[in-house]
Amino acid sequence: MPTVILVRHGRSSANTSGTLAGRTPGVKLDDAGVQQAEAVAQRLAGLPLAAIVTSPLERCKQTAAAIAKRHAGLRTATDRRLTECGYGDWTGQKISTLAKDPLWAVVQQHPSAVTFPNGESMRAMQQRAVDAVRAHDAELAKSHGDNAIWVAVSHGDVIKSIVADALGQHLDTFQRIVVDTASTTIITYTATRPFLVRLNDSGSELASLVPKPTAKAKPKKQSSDAVVGGR
């Protein structure tokens, strides 16, 4: 099935101020975040993207728009399932304040047990995000073939939870995963398993993601087998 490039939005004003933005409307990229969005757009410019799907929050839409500008005729689509976790009463609070809340330790060590006060559970966040990625993958496989490449622009915790699922890890391990602003994380889904191709990548070339045609000029079908000894 297709390859998804998960892009975390560029740095926002909330990242700079140490505030948990959550789903607060109107939180935008700061100056550094705008530059990060342009940089990741440049890295993706040479890829034949089949789709760009984004969280509906402004900081993600700004990042997605920067990517779309370099792909003529390709419009961004919005999927609410890729939105930030619903942090409920934690939304808009300082991280330094939240770190003193007893729930903070549970978020760190046992996130699968967490439902934020008047908010969403972390299990629900993971489920909807993984469902979204797999649904878009299946759609694009039908319309663009198994070797399609597409972009999903989302948030740190959301992307970390998708990676944990791809690795077959319990959600309680997802805090071990790092996803920086404007980084790319790449997963190829096949019939029997996903492959994590790159994680938290902010600098390497991406041209190698494009499948090379065979002698008959047909793209090679994705295999679910891992190469013994590495590839």
Side-chain angles (χ1 to χ4, degrees):
M1 293 181 73
T3 293
V4 59
I5 303 175
L6 299 163
V7 177
R8 185 182 174 190
H9 62 79
R11 195 178 80 174
S12 72
S13 55
N15 296 138
T16 310
S17 64
T19 302
L20 184 64
R23 298 176 183 174
T24 304
V27 175
K28 297 184 178 182
L29 302 181
D30 64 11
D31 290 343
V34 170
Q35 293 177 4
Q36 288 179 335
E38 291 296 333
V40 74
Q42 176 62 41
R43 293 181 62 218
L44 296 169
L47 298 182
L49 299 183
I52 303 170
V53 186
T54 180
S55 155
L57 294 175
E58 188 65 24
R59 54 198 185 272
C60 286
K61 289 169 71 174
Q62 285 180 278
T63 305
I67 296 169
K69 279 182 184 178
R70 297 178 181 270
H71 292 83
L74 190 59
R75 295 183 177 181
T76 62
T78 300
D79 190 331
R80 299 187 68 84
R81 293 174 295 178
L82 295 175
T83 197
E84 180 64 283
C85 185
Y87 294 118
D89 295 345
W90 277 31
T91 302
Q93 295 196 48
K94 289 284 188 182
I95 298 293
S96 56
T97 300
L98 295 173
K100 299 172 186 175
D101 189 312
L103 184 60
W104 180 269
V106 188
V107 172
Q108 299 300 315
Q109 300 172 35
H110 191 23
S112 65
V114 171
T115 299
F116 292 97
N118 295 312
E120 183 180 29
S121 73
M122 300 198 88
R123 286 180 294 107
M125 172 196 72
Q126 182 186 46
Q127 186 65 60
R128 55 149 166 101
V130 170
D131 285 351
V133 169
R134 289 183 175 273
H136 286 291
D137 246 48
E139 255 179 58
L140 290 167
K142 290 178 182 177
S143 60
H144 290 78
D146 285 345
N147 291 287
I149 301 170
W150 65 286
V151 166
V153 184
S154 191
H155 307 268
D157 279 353
V158 177
I159 294 173
K160 285 162 57 177
S161 73
I162 295 170
V163 170
D165 172 79
L167 291 174
Q169 295 179 352
H170 198 280
L171 182 61
D172 287 346
T173 69
F174 100 129
Q175 298 291 23
R176 303 178 187 186
I177 298 165
V178 176
V179 175
D180 293 323
T181 52
S183 64
T184 56
T185 292
I186 302 169
I187 301 172
T188 296
Y189 288 89
T190 69
T192 59
R193 71 182 63 154
F195 289 100
L196 178 62
V197 180
R198 299 188 193 178
L199 174 64
N200 196 35
D201 180 5
S202 296
S204 67
E205 60 76 32
L206 299 174
S208 60
L209 295 176
V210 181
K212 293 180 174 57
T214 64
K216 294 183 179 180
K218 292 181 179 179
K220 185 179 179 182
K221 187 173 179 61
Q222 290 283 6
S223 171
S224 296
D225 293 340
V227 178
V228 177
R231 63 177 180 176

